[in-house]
mmCIF file of all heavy atoms in Angstrom:
data_model
loop_
_atom_site.group_PDB
_atom_site.id
_atom_site.type_symbol
_atom_site.label_atom_id
_atom_site.label_comp_id
_atom_site.label_asym_id
_atom_site.label_seq_id
_atom_site.Cartn_x
_atom_site.Cartn_y
_atom_site.Cartn_z
ATOM 1 N N LEU A 112 0.812 -1.215 0.000
ATOM 2 C CA LEU A 112 0.000 0.000 0.000
ATOM 3 C C LEU A 112 0.845 1.266 0.000
ATOM 4 O O LEU A 112 0.301 2.366 -0.131
ATOM 5 C CB LEU A 112 -0.951 0.006 1.199
ATOM 6 C CG LEU A 112 -2.155 -0.930 1.089
ATOM 7 C CD1 LEU A 112 -2.946 -0.955 2.381
ATOM 8 C CD2 LEU A 112 -3.052 -0.525 -0.077
ATOM 9 N N MET A 113 2.173 1.115 0.154
ATOM 10 C CA MET A 113 3.072 2.248 -0.023
ATOM 11 C C MET A 113 3.219 2.614 -1.493
ATOM 12 O O MET A 113 3.731 3.682 -1.816
ATOM 13 C CB MET A 113 4.449 1.916 0.570
ATOM 14 C CG MET A 113 4.433 1.607 2.061
ATOM 15 S SD MET A 113 4.015 3.025 3.076
ATOM 16 C CE MET A 113 5.489 4.020 2.893
ATOM 17 N N ASP A 114 2.782 1.728 -2.384
ATOM 18 C CA ASP A 114 2.836 2.006 -3.819
ATOM 19 C C ASP A 114 1.827 3.096 -4.161
ATOM 20 O O ASP A 114 0.646 3.012 -3.803
ATOM 21 C CB ASP A 114 2.541 0.734 -4.616
ATOM 22 C CG ASP A 114 2.599 0.960 -6.117
ATOM 23 O OD1 ASP A 114 3.719 1.034 -6.652
ATOM 24 O OD2 ASP A 114 1.538 1.075 -6.738
ATOM 25 N N THR A 115 2.284 4.121 -4.848
ATOM 26 C CA THR A 115 1.434 5.277 -5.128
ATOM 27 C C THR A 115 0.273 4.945 -6.055
ATOM 28 O O THR A 115 -0.846 5.430 -5.864
ATOM 29 C CB THR A 115 2.262 6.422 -5.731
ATOM 30 O OG1 THR A 115 2.964 5.944 -6.892
ATOM 31 C CG2 THR A 115 3.272 6.952 -4.717
ATOM 32 N N HIS A 116 0.512 4.127 -7.078
ATOM 33 C CA HIS A 116 -0.560 3.814 -8.016
ATOM 34 C C HIS A 116 -1.639 2.969 -7.361
ATOM 35 O O HIS A 116 -2.839 3.238 -7.527
ATOM 36 C CB HIS A 116 0.001 3.078 -9.242
ATOM 37 C CG HIS A 116 -1.032 2.812 -10.291
ATOM 38 N ND1 HIS A 116 -1.439 3.757 -11.210
ATOM 39 C CD2 HIS A 116 -1.770 1.698 -10.567
ATOM 40 C CE1 HIS A 116 -2.357 3.252 -12.010
ATOM 41 N NE2 HIS A 116 -2.587 1.995 -11.636
ATOM 42 N N LEU A 117 -1.247 1.968 -6.591
ATOM 43 C CA LEU A 117 -2.218 1.116 -5.922
ATOM 44 C C LEU A 117 -3.049 1.923 -4.931
ATOM 45 O O LEU A 117 -4.285 1.808 -4.899
ATOM 46 C CB LEU A 117 -1.516 -0.036 -5.209
ATOM 47 C CG LEU A 117 -2.423 -0.953 -4.373
ATOM 48 C CD1 LEU A 117 -3.471 -1.621 -5.253
ATOM 49 C CD2 LEU A 117 -1.597 -2.012 -3.646
ATOM 50 N N SER A 118 -2.403 2.734 -4.106
ATOM 51 C CA SER A 118 -3.140 3.533 -3.137
ATOM 52 C C SER A 118 -4.063 4.533 -3.830
ATOM 53 O O SER A 118 -5.154 4.822 -3.337
ATOM 54 C CB SER A 118 -2.174 4.253 -2.200
ATOM 55 O OG SER A 118 -1.317 5.131 -2.916
ATOM 56 N N CYS A 119 -3.639 5.040 -4.991
ATOM 57 C CA CYS A 119 -4.452 6.007 -5.736
ATOM 58 C C CYS A 119 -5.742 5.376 -6.235
ATOM 59 O O CYS A 119 -6.831 5.932 -6.054
ATOM 60 C CB CYS A 119 -3.650 6.589 -6.895
ATOM 61 S SG CYS A 119 -4.598 7.652 -8.012
ATOM 62 N N VAL A 120 -5.658 4.209 -6.881
ATOM 63 C CA VAL A 120 -6.858 3.574 -7.429
ATOM 64 C C VAL A 120 -7.776 3.070 -6.319
ATOM 65 O O VAL A 120 -9.008 3.064 -6.469
ATOM 66 C CB VAL A 120 -6.485 2.443 -8.408
ATOM 67 C CG1 VAL A 120 -5.786 3.006 -9.638
ATOM 68 C CG2 VAL A 120 -5.612 1.382 -7.747
ATOM 69 N N LEU A 121 -7.203 2.651 -5.187
ATOM 70 C CA LEU A 121 -8.032 2.253 -4.057
ATOM 71 C C LEU A 121 -8.830 3.443 -3.515
ATOM 72 O O LEU A 121 -10.038 3.335 -3.249
ATOM 73 C CB LEU A 121 -7.168 1.651 -2.945
ATOM 74 C CG LEU A 121 -6.621 0.243 -3.163
ATOM 75 C CD1 LEU A 121 -5.711 -0.160 -2.003
ATOM 76 C CD2 LEU A 121 -7.747 -0.762 -3.310
ATOM 77 N N GLU A 122 -8.156 4.570 -3.333
ATOM 78 C CA GLU A 122 -8.835 5.757 -2.845
ATOM 79 C C GLU A 122 -9.879 6.249 -3.844
ATOM 80 O O GLU A 122 -10.955 6.712 -3.448
ATOM 81 C CB GLU A 122 -7.820 6.869 -2.562
ATOM 82 C CG GLU A 122 -6.943 6.607 -1.340
ATOM 83 C CD GLU A 122 -7.763 6.519 -0.063
ATOM 84 O OE1 GLU A 122 -8.678 7.350 0.110
ATOM 85 O OE2 GLU A 122 -7.510 5.613 0.750
ATOM 86 N N LYS A 123 -9.587 6.141 -5.119
ATOM 87 C CA LYS A 123 -10.530 6.560 -6.140
ATOM 88 C C LYS A 123 -11.804 5.730 -6.076
ATOM 89 O O LYS A 123 -12.913 6.263 -6.152
ATOM 90 C CB LYS A 123 -9.901 6.453 -7.528
ATOM 91 C CG LYS A 123 -10.816 6.912 -8.660
ATOM 92 C CD LYS A 123 -10.122 6.812 -10.008
ATOM 93 C CE LYS A 123 -11.049 7.306 -11.118
ATOM 94 N NZ LYS A 123 -10.398 7.224 -12.456
ATOM 95 N N ARG A 124 -11.664 4.421 -5.913
ATOM 96 C CA ARG A 124 -12.834 3.554 -5.843
ATOM 97 C C ARG A 124 -13.627 3.819 -4.565
ATOM 98 O O ARG A 124 -14.863 3.874 -4.604
ATOM 99 C CB ARG A 124 -12.413 2.090 -5.922
ATOM 100 C CG ARG A 124 -13.571 1.115 -5.785
ATOM 101 C CD ARG A 124 -13.185 -0.285 -6.171
ATOM 102 N NE ARG A 124 -14.223 -1.248 -5.867
ATOM 103 C CZ ARG A 124 -14.169 -2.545 -6.159
ATOM 104 N NH1 ARG A 124 -13.109 -3.017 -6.807
ATOM 105 N NH2 ARG A 124 -15.164 -3.349 -5.846
ATOM 106 N N LYS A 125 -12.948 3.987 -3.442
ATOM 107 C CA LYS A 125 -13.637 4.240 -2.181
ATOM 108 C C LYS A 125 -14.306 5.608 -2.175
ATOM 109 O O LYS A 125 -15.434 5.765 -1.691
ATOM 110 C CB LYS A 125 -12.662 4.112 -1.007
ATOM 111 C CG LYS A 125 -12.169 2.695 -0.759
ATOM 112 C CD LYS A 125 -11.075 2.652 0.285
ATOM 113 C CE LYS A 125 -11.532 3.169 1.618
ATOM 114 N NZ LYS A 125 -10.480 3.045 2.670
ATOM 115 N N ASN A 126 -13.609 6.613 -2.703
ATOM 116 C CA ASN A 126 -14.158 7.971 -2.689
ATOM 117 C C ASN A 126 -15.428 8.087 -3.522
ATOM 118 O O ASN A 126 -16.273 8.944 -3.246
ATOM 119 C CB ASN A 126 -13.120 8.968 -3.186
ATOM 120 C CG ASN A 126 -12.000 9.187 -2.192
ATOM 121 O OD1 ASN A 126 -12.159 8.948 -0.987
ATOM 122 N ND2 ASN A 126 -10.851 9.654 -2.674
ATOM 123 N N ALA A 127 -15.562 7.258 -4.541
ATOM 124 C CA ALA A 127 -16.780 7.292 -5.343
ATOM 125 C C ALA A 127 -18.005 6.981 -4.493
ATOM 126 O O ALA A 127 -19.085 7.531 -4.716
ATOM 127 C CB ALA A 127 -16.672 6.304 -6.511
ATOM 128 N N VAL A 128 -17.862 6.107 -3.502
ATOM 129 C CA VAL A 128 -18.961 5.784 -2.594
ATOM 130 C C VAL A 128 -19.032 6.791 -1.453
ATOM 131 O O VAL A 128 -20.109 7.248 -1.064
ATOM 132 C CB VAL A 128 -18.807 4.359 -2.025
ATOM 133 C CG1 VAL A 128 -19.952 4.029 -1.064
ATOM 134 C CG2 VAL A 128 -18.775 3.340 -3.153
ATOM 135 N N LEU A 129 -17.871 7.156 -0.899
ATOM 136 C CA LEU A 129 -17.842 8.070 0.237
ATOM 137 C C LEU A 129 -18.379 9.451 -0.115
ATOM 138 O O LEU A 129 -18.900 10.160 0.754
ATOM 139 C CB LEU A 129 -16.413 8.194 0.777
ATOM 140 C CG LEU A 129 -15.815 6.922 1.403
ATOM 141 C CD1 LEU A 129 -14.349 7.141 1.760
ATOM 142 C CD2 LEU A 129 -16.605 6.512 2.632
ATOM 143 N N CYS A 130 -18.253 9.850 -1.373
ATOM 144 C CA CYS A 130 -18.748 11.158 -1.804
ATOM 145 C C CYS A 130 -20.216 11.125 -2.222
ATOM 146 O O CYS A 130 -20.768 12.148 -2.623
ATOM 147 C CB CYS A 130 -17.899 11.695 -2.959
ATOM 148 S SG CYS A 130 -16.199 12.097 -2.491
ATOM 149 N N SER A 131 -20.846 9.960 -2.141
ATOM 150 C CA SER A 131 -22.264 9.837 -2.469
ATOM 151 C C SER A 131 -23.115 10.155 -1.240
ATOM 152 O O SER A 131 -22.781 9.745 -0.128
ATOM 153 C CB SER A 131 -22.578 8.423 -2.974
ATOM 154 O OG SER A 131 -21.784 8.090 -4.104
ATOM 155 N N ASN A 132 -24.188 10.870 -1.441
ATOM 156 C CA ASN A 132 -25.095 11.199 -0.343
ATOM 157 C C ASN A 132 -25.863 9.955 0.100
ATOM 158 O O ASN A 132 -26.345 9.179 -0.725
ATOM 159 C CB ASN A 132 -26.079 12.291 -0.760
ATOM 160 C CG ASN A 132 -25.401 13.620 -1.007
ATOM 161 O OD1 ASN A 132 -24.432 13.966 -0.328
ATOM 162 N ND2 ASN A 132 -25.886 14.372 -1.987
ATOM 163 N N MET A 133 -25.968 9.772 1.416
ATOM 164 C CA MET A 133 -26.679 8.640 1.980
ATOM 165 C C MET A 133 -27.725 9.144 2.959
ATOM 166 O O MET A 133 -27.508 10.139 3.664
ATOM 167 C CB MET A 133 -25.717 7.673 2.674
ATOM 168 C CG MET A 133 -26.396 6.402 3.198
ATOM 169 S SD MET A 133 -25.253 5.282 4.061
ATOM 170 C CE MET A 133 -24.200 4.793 2.702
ATOM 171 N N GLU A 134 -28.854 8.446 3.021
ATOM 172 C CA GLU A 134 -29.932 8.806 3.930
ATOM 173 C C GLU A 134 -30.516 7.551 4.572
ATOM 174 O O GLU A 134 -30.391 6.453 4.040
ATOM 175 C CB GLU A 134 -31.053 9.559 3.205
ATOM 176 C CG GLU A 134 -30.751 11.007 2.876
ATOM 177 C CD GLU A 134 -31.943 11.722 2.277
ATOM 178 O OE1 GLU A 134 -32.958 11.052 1.996
ATOM 179 O OE2 GLU A 134 -31.872 12.960 2.109
ATOM 180 N N PHE A 135 -31.144 7.763 5.734
ATOM 181 C CA PHE A 135 -31.957 6.724 6.361
ATOM 182 C C PHE A 135 -33.392 7.199 6.315
ATOM 183 O O PHE A 135 -33.729 8.263 6.822
ATOM 184 C CB PHE A 135 -31.530 6.473 7.807
ATOM 185 C CG PHE A 135 -32.230 5.310 8.440
ATOM 186 C CD1 PHE A 135 -31.770 4.023 8.246
ATOM 187 C CD2 PHE A 135 -33.358 5.491 9.226
ATOM 188 C CE1 PHE A 135 -32.424 2.940 8.822
ATOM 189 C CE2 PHE A 135 -34.017 4.425 9.794
ATOM 190 C CZ PHE A 135 -33.545 3.138 9.598
ATOM 191 N N ARG A 136 -34.267 6.407 5.699
ATOM 192 C CA ARG A 136 -35.650 6.808 5.496
ATOM 193 C C ARG A 136 -36.596 5.813 6.155
ATOM 194 O O ARG A 136 -36.356 4.597 6.136
ATOM 195 C CB ARG A 136 -35.957 6.920 4.001
ATOM 196 C CG ARG A 136 -35.192 8.035 3.285
ATOM 197 C CD ARG A 136 -35.563 8.115 1.822
ATOM 198 N NE ARG A 136 -34.913 9.251 1.159
ATOM 199 C CZ ARG A 136 -35.069 9.554 -0.118
ATOM 200 N NH1 ARG A 136 -35.871 8.809 -0.874
ATOM 201 N NH2 ARG A 136 -34.445 10.604 -0.637
ATOM 202 N N VAL A 137 -37.649 6.354 6.718
ATOM 203 C CA VAL A 137 -38.737 5.571 7.289
ATOM 204 C C VAL A 137 -40.011 5.965 6.563
ATOM 205 O O VAL A 137 -40.407 7.133 6.580
ATOM 206 C CB VAL A 137 -38.880 5.817 8.805
ATOM 207 C CG1 VAL A 137 -40.023 4.984 9.374
ATOM 208 C CG2 VAL A 137 -37.583 5.498 9.530
ATOM 209 N N ASP A 138 -40.637 4.996 5.914
ATOM 210 C CA ASP A 138 -41.837 5.251 5.109
ATOM 211 C C ASP A 138 -41.582 6.306 4.041
ATOM 212 O O ASP A 138 -42.435 7.161 3.761
ATOM 213 C CB ASP A 138 -43.014 5.657 5.993
ATOM 214 C CG ASP A 138 -43.428 4.565 6.971
ATOM 215 O OD1 ASP A 138 -43.248 3.380 6.625
ATOM 216 O OD2 ASP A 138 -43.904 4.901 8.081
ATOM 217 N N GLY A 139 -40.396 6.274 3.465
ATOM 218 C CA GLY A 139 -40.052 7.192 2.395
ATOM 219 C C GLY A 139 -39.634 8.576 2.835
ATOM 220 O O GLY A 139 -39.313 9.426 1.991
ATOM 221 N N LYS A 140 -39.625 8.847 4.161
ATOM 222 C CA LYS A 140 -39.255 10.162 4.669
ATOM 223 C C LYS A 140 -37.942 10.084 5.444
ATOM 224 O O LYS A 140 -37.718 9.127 6.186
ATOM 225 C CB LYS A 140 -40.358 10.717 5.568
ATOM 226 C CG LYS A 140 -41.694 10.916 4.858
ATOM 227 C CD LYS A 140 -42.740 11.470 5.811
ATOM 228 C CE LYS A 140 -44.080 11.671 5.103
ATOM 229 N NZ LYS A 140 -45.122 12.188 6.033
ATOM 230 N N PRO A 141 -37.044 11.074 5.287
ATOM 231 C CA PRO A 141 -35.764 11.053 6.004
ATOM 232 C C PRO A 141 -35.956 11.082 7.515
ATOM 233 O O PRO A 141 -36.813 11.791 8.037
ATOM 234 C CB PRO A 141 -35.062 12.324 5.508
ATOM 235 C CG PRO A 141 -35.728 12.661 4.216
ATOM 236 C CD PRO A 141 -37.150 12.232 4.362
ATOM 237 N N ASP A 142 -35.153 10.283 8.232
ATOM 238 C CA ASP A 142 -35.142 10.271 9.687
ATOM 239 C C ASP A 142 -34.009 11.169 10.169
ATOM 240 O O ASP A 142 -32.833 10.837 10.024
ATOM 241 C CB ASP A 142 -34.954 8.839 10.204
ATOM 242 C CG ASP A 142 -35.108 8.728 11.708
ATOM 243 O OD1 ASP A 142 -34.314 9.346 12.438
ATOM 244 O OD2 ASP A 142 -36.020 8.022 12.176
ATOM 245 N N ASP A 143 -34.357 12.312 10.742
ATOM 246 C CA ASP A 143 -33.355 13.316 11.107
ATOM 247 C C ASP A 143 -32.380 12.800 12.157
ATOM 248 O O ASP A 143 -31.182 13.118 12.105
ATOM 249 C CB ASP A 143 -34.042 14.590 11.614
ATOM 250 C CG ASP A 143 -34.846 15.285 10.513
ATOM 251 O OD1 ASP A 143 -34.525 15.070 9.318
ATOM 252 O OD2 ASP A 143 -35.787 16.033 10.854
ATOM 253 N N LYS A 144 -32.835 12.009 13.109
ATOM 254 C CA LYS A 144 -31.975 11.537 14.187
ATOM 255 C C LYS A 144 -30.876 10.628 13.660
ATOM 256 O O LYS A 144 -29.708 10.780 14.011
ATOM 257 C CB LYS A 144 -32.799 10.813 15.255
ATOM 258 C CG LYS A 144 -31.987 10.412 16.476
ATOM 259 C CD LYS A 144 -32.862 9.786 17.543
ATOM 260 C CE LYS A 144 -32.044 9.420 18.778
ATOM 261 N NZ LYS A 144 -32.904 8.781 19.828
ATOM 262 N N ILE A 145 -31.244 9.686 12.821
ATOM 263 C CA ILE A 145 -30.253 8.766 12.274
ATOM 264 C C ILE A 145 -29.409 9.448 11.209
ATOM 265 O O ILE A 145 -28.205 9.182 11.088
ATOM 266 C CB ILE A 145 -30.937 7.507 11.721
ATOM 267 C CG1 ILE A 145 -31.675 6.772 12.853
ATOM 268 C CG2 ILE A 145 -29.926 6.578 11.061
ATOM 269 C CD1 ILE A 145 -32.375 5.512 12.417
ATOM 270 N N ASN A 146 -30.001 10.334 10.437
ATOM 271 C CA ASN A 146 -29.232 11.064 9.427
ATOM 272 C C ASN A 146 -28.172 11.952 10.064
ATOM 273 O O ASN A 146 -27.144 12.238 9.445
ATOM 274 C CB ASN A 146 -30.165 11.883 8.551
ATOM 275 C CG ASN A 146 -30.941 11.031 7.559
ATOM 276 O OD1 ASN A 146 -30.466 9.983 7.126
ATOM 277 N ND2 ASN A 146 -32.132 11.466 7.201
ATOM 278 N N GLU A 147 -28.402 12.392 11.290
ATOM 279 C CA GLU A 147 -27.382 13.144 12.015
ATOM 280 C C GLU A 147 -26.177 12.254 12.309
ATOM 281 O O GLU A 147 -25.035 12.700 12.235
ATOM 282 C CB GLU A 147 -27.966 13.707 13.304
ATOM 283 C CG GLU A 147 -27.054 14.702 14.013
ATOM 284 C CD GLU A 147 -27.696 15.304 15.242
ATOM 285 O OE1 GLU A 147 -28.780 14.828 15.643
ATOM 286 O OE2 GLU A 147 -27.130 16.248 15.828
ATOM 287 N N GLN A 148 -26.425 10.984 12.625
ATOM 288 C CA GLN A 148 -25.340 10.031 12.814
ATOM 289 C C GLN A 148 -24.612 9.761 11.499
ATOM 290 O O GLN A 148 -23.383 9.618 11.470
ATOM 291 C CB GLN A 148 -25.878 8.716 13.388
ATOM 292 C CG GLN A 148 -26.519 8.810 14.765
ATOM 293 C CD GLN A 148 -25.516 8.905 15.884
ATOM 294 O OE1 GLN A 148 -24.310 8.669 15.699
ATOM 295 N NE2 GLN A 148 -25.997 9.255 17.068
#
């Protein structure tokens, strides 16, 4: 993992998910308490 290319592509793949917005919904509506977590 000290290899720059390997660490770069790993971070690129992870960041694609980490930069996506996520929500917790109950009956189609956002739950503010859990979304705060």
Side-chain angles (χ1 to χ4, degrees):
L112 285 174
M113 300 293 289
D114 181 77
T115 55
H116 184 81
L117 176 61
S118 61
C119 173
V120 294
L121 286 176
E122 289 298 317
K123 182 179 181 180
R124 177 167 172 177
K125 292 172 61 176
N126 288 337
V128 179
L129 294 174
C130 293
S131 303
N132 293 325
M133 184 182 294
E134 284 185 353
F135 187 84
R136 294 181 175 180
V137 180
D138 297 330
K140 299 180 180 179
D142 187 298
D143 294 336
K144 186 176 181 181
I145 298 180
N146 285 331
E147 190 177 9
Q148 297 283 347

